[in-house]
Amino acid sequence: MADTISNPALNSEQERPLQTGDSNDNALIVHRQSSSYSWLSQWRGALVTAGLALLIAPFTSLGGWLSPAGAPIDPTDYALRTKRVLETTPLIDGHNDFPWLLRVELHNRIYDGKFDPKQRLLGHTDIGRMRQGMMGGQFWSVHVKCDAAQKHFEDPSWIVRDTLEQIDVAKRFTAESPEVFAYCETPACARDAFKRGRIASMLGIEGGHQLGGSVAAVRQAYDLGVRYITTTHNCDNAWATSASTVAHGGPDAGLAPLGAAYVREMNRLGMMVDLSHVSHQTMRDVLSVARAPVIFSHSGAYAVTPHLRNVPDDVLRGVRSNGGIVMVVFVNRFLNMQDPGAVTIHDVVDHIWHIAEVAGWEHVGIGSDFSGTPFTPSGLEDVSKYPHLIELVMARGATDEQIRLLVGENILRVWESIQTRAQEIQSQGERPVEEEFEGRKWHKGYKNSPYMYRETHERAAKEDWGQPEQFNIGKSSDQEAIVKDDKDI
């Protein structure tokens, strides 16, 4: 579709004329009493009149009840137009941190009777308000914040463990309400869930630090059902530079060497590369090497608000060429840096409109960051308010077809394209990526382990790699704690 913006007042819905079959005026009617004034002759005028009425009905006020799409809609009745769009197109939000609340508030315990998402909860998200907001799908973020103690790839951390637990609780949460949610790992599943009246539920990991910067861990996350990875969160990792680093005065080093391997493997798997949170140079670097569309799961337009979390115009044009999508965030400080407290729903419309103008309506979506951000725009207080946002985008001049792209068709198309590209790559025989962090230190074996190669035996003996602790038990009454020495790493 073209990127131009049309006025709905000048584009009222056009009804397709009903087609009538050809009449057979030469049919022979046999009666017991032949007469030129048969019943057919007597009623012929009425039948012709009725046929003409059917033919012209779509062009008159009589055509409303005959229209396949229902009664004609006043183009300025944005509420009704929104309702019709959201009844037939899934509204899919790109980012909601609700599973994070399950961890920090409930310690992942959702079966003790305290937690009931069908009841009205505080915060932004519960089932009742999701239904009120006419939601058709949600990417749940399995977020674990950056570990301040993990300054280096090799520094120990529990982040990967906590991420696995986040994946687990997100799946269990949606499984508890099968009449509401449908867990999905493919765009086809998401479409089918919407047709069945369910809210499609998908998973995304918010930061490469959550996988220890390991490409092998990316593959395992994919097998667990995760379908996008936010390349960085608010900290650098083995793959790339984050926007937060640049905001604090650090250099924008962009994509690291291992980051290129990460992107390559994500494309091979059919996993969405999410560029929200990354630095601007990282955005550009990823676009230069990506073999499939990218996504921004929750970002805004830098030209509207020059926050480093937002997307510059040159990157928006790159997204258009790449076939990707920018899903607009609802975080106040990303929408208006000068006065975050004054942000309203109209500011979100401004960001949507700018991205649509620069990248095209085929490359914009919605990614709220509900249940993660503490402050939201006035008029977008929670998940029930999506229809209000859509009405305002329509009032700004968007057509129904552009709205369908915005709310769900774009992210589904992008996901399908990524999936198709992965199938093409795999069909060419490309194997999984084996690159590792160049400064990684590997665990050693023992002096007399049954090694496969002579050089390993020789090195183990020369460097005295030692023996497992079990072989020393009983040799001395003094038993030391079994702790791995730094030299054994």
Side-chain angles (χ1 to χ4, degrees):
M1 173 175 289
D3 296 343
T4 55
I5 312 303
S6 58
N7 188 333
L10 302 178
N11 290 276
S12 60
E13 295 186 0
Q14 294 183 350
E15 309 282 359
R16 181 168 56 87
L18 297 176
Q19 301 297 320
T20 59
D22 296 336
S23 61
N24 190 348
D25 293 339
N26 297 321
L28 177 64
I29 309 298
V30 179
H31 296 278
R32 285 179 295 183
Q33 293 182 348
S34 177
S35 171
S36 60
Y37 296 97
S38 65
W39 69 272
L40 180 62
S41 300
Q42 294 173 1
W43 288 97
R44 179 177 294 163
L47 291 172
V48 170
T49 301
L52 289 173
L54 286 172
L55 189 62
I56 67 172
F59 304 102
T60 70
S61 61
L62 297 175
W65 66 274
L66 294 168
S67 169
I73 301 176
D74 178 352
T76 62
D77 189 344
Y78 306 121
L80 182 55
R81 284 176 58 195
T82 294
K83 182 174 183 292
R84 288 203 173 177
V85 168
L86 298 186
E87 285 175 341
T88 54
T89 302
L91 187 156
I92 301 176
D93 185 294
H95 196 91
N96 186 306
D97 284 301
F98 190 72
W100 175 72
L101 297 178
L102 299 180
R103 180 166 62 90
V104 298
E105 290 193 73
L106 303 178
H107 298 171
N108 296 333
R109 297 176 181 177
I110 61 174
Y111 303 140
D112 61 4
K114 178 180 180 179
F115 174 66
D116 183 1
K118 297 181 178 67
Q119 299 297 320
R120 174 65 183 253
L121 303 172
L122 298 177
H124 305 149
T125 308
D126 54 53
I127 288 174
R129 284 181 288 173
M130 291 182 83
R131 288 300 197 190
Q132 188 179 350
M134 300 186 73
M135 295 194 68
Q138 179 67 69
F139 279 91
W140 302 104
S141 170
V142 288
H143 166 63
V144 179
K145 66 181 181 180
C146 296
D147 186 347
Q150 193 176 36
K151 305 277 187 191
H152 187 270
F153 177 81
E154 290 290 301
D155 292 339
S157 175
W158 298 111
I159 289 178
V160 175
R161 176 202 64 184
D162 293 349
T163 298
L164 293 174
E165 292 175 349
Q166 286 287 93
I167 293 171
D168 171 75
V169 75
K171 288 182 176 180
R172 291 190 291 116
F173 154 62
T174 56
E176 278 296 287
S177 301
E179 76 285 0
V180 176
F181 299 114
Y183 171 71
C184 287
E185 297 180 355
T186 67
C189 171
R191 292 186 186 278
D192 179 68
F194 178 71
K195 291 177 183 177
R196 294 186 292 110
R198 305 296 189 270
I199 299 173
S201 293
M202 294 72 67
L203 303 180
I205 288 177
E206 194 174 6
H209 68 286
Q210 293 186 233
L211 295 174
S214 166
V215 178
V218 169
R219 288 190 285 272
Q220 301 312 304
Y222 182 85
D223 288 345
L224 289 174
V226 176
R227 286 301 175 264
Y228 77 65
I229 296 176
T230 310
T231 304
T232 73
H233 192 245
N234 292 334
C235 54
D236 294 352
N237 57 45
W239 300 336
T241 307
S242 74
S244 295
T245 293
V246 180
H248 287 92
D252 189 350
L255 195 66
L258 186 60
Y262 148 77
V263 173
R264 193 164 70 251
E265 184 65 2
M266 292 282 282
N267 292 165
R268 190 193 69 86
L269 288 169
M271 208 167 183
M272 289 176 270
V273 176
D274 178 17
L275 297 181
S276 289
H277 282 284
V278 305
S279 70
H280 289 175
Q281 189 57 47
T282 299
M283 297 175 189
R284 298 179 181 108
D285 289 347
V286 170
L287 285 169
S288 73
V289 300
R291 299 178 290 174
V294 301
I295 74 166
F296 289 77
S297 68
H298 56 305
S299 294
Y302 186 81
V304 178
T305 302
H307 193 290
L308 288 174
R309 272 283 278 104
N310 291 335
V311 188
D313 279 2
D314 69 297
V315 176
L316 289 177
R317 289 187 286 270
V319 169
R320 179 180 60 200
S321 300
N322 165 267
I325 183 174
V326 178
M327 308 180 84
V328 176
V329 70
F330 297 174
V331 177
N332 283 10
R333 66 182 181 276
F334 301 162
L335 299 171
N336 184 338
M337 294 174 62
Q338 283 68 40
D339 193 0
V343 171
T344 73
I345 190 172
H346 295 278
D347 292 288
V348 179
V349 177
D350 290 342
H351 282 258
I352 289 173
W353 208 259
H354 181 82
I355 292 170
E357 287 182 327
V358 176
W361 280 101
E362 295 84 358
H363 306 287
V364 62
I366 295 171
S368 65
D369 203 14
F370 276 139
S371 297
T373 180
F375 306 108
T376 61
S378 175
L380 277 175
E381 290 80 7
D382 56 49
V383 294
S384 70
K385 306 297 185 179
Y386 292 107
H388 298 174
L389 174 64
I390 303 310
E391 291 170 27
L392 287 177
V393 178
M394 285 182 172
R396 191 76 67 94
T399 67
D400 288 8
E401 183 56 34
Q402 289 167 341
I403 294 297
R404 292 183 194 281
L405 295 173
L406 168 71
V407 299
E409 287 299 333
N410 282 339
I411 183 60
L412 288 173
R413 185 200 70 248
V414 168
W415 191 3
E416 288 163 349
S417 297
I418 293 168
Q419 191 177 61
T420 299
R421 185 71 183 105
Q423 292 168 352
E424 294 170 352
I425 293 171
Q426 292 175 27
S427 70
Q428 296 167 2
E430 184 171 314
R431 291 180 175 177
V433 165
E434 290 189 324
E435 280 92 330
E436 297 285 353
F437 179 63
E438 59 186 9
R440 181 169 182 170
K441 296 181 180 179
W442 295 87
H443 288 267
K444 297 175 181 177
Y446 297 105
K447 184 175 181 179
N448 295 317
S449 295
Y451 297 113
M452 298 182 292
Y453 302 105
R454 175 182 293 178
E455 56 266 31
T456 314
H457 278 289
E458 293 173 349
R459 183 183 173 199
K462 180 179 179 180
E463 298 179 4
D464 191 15
W465 286 358
Q467 301 291 355
E469 188 65 26
Q470 62 184 11
F471 293 115
N472 295 325
I473 292 176
K475 288 186 176 182
S476 171
S477 59
D478 296 328
Q479 297 296 319
E480 297 180 357
I482 302 175
V483 178
K484 186 177 289 295
D485 290 334
D486 288 342
K487 67 180 180 65
D488 293 327
I489 298 178

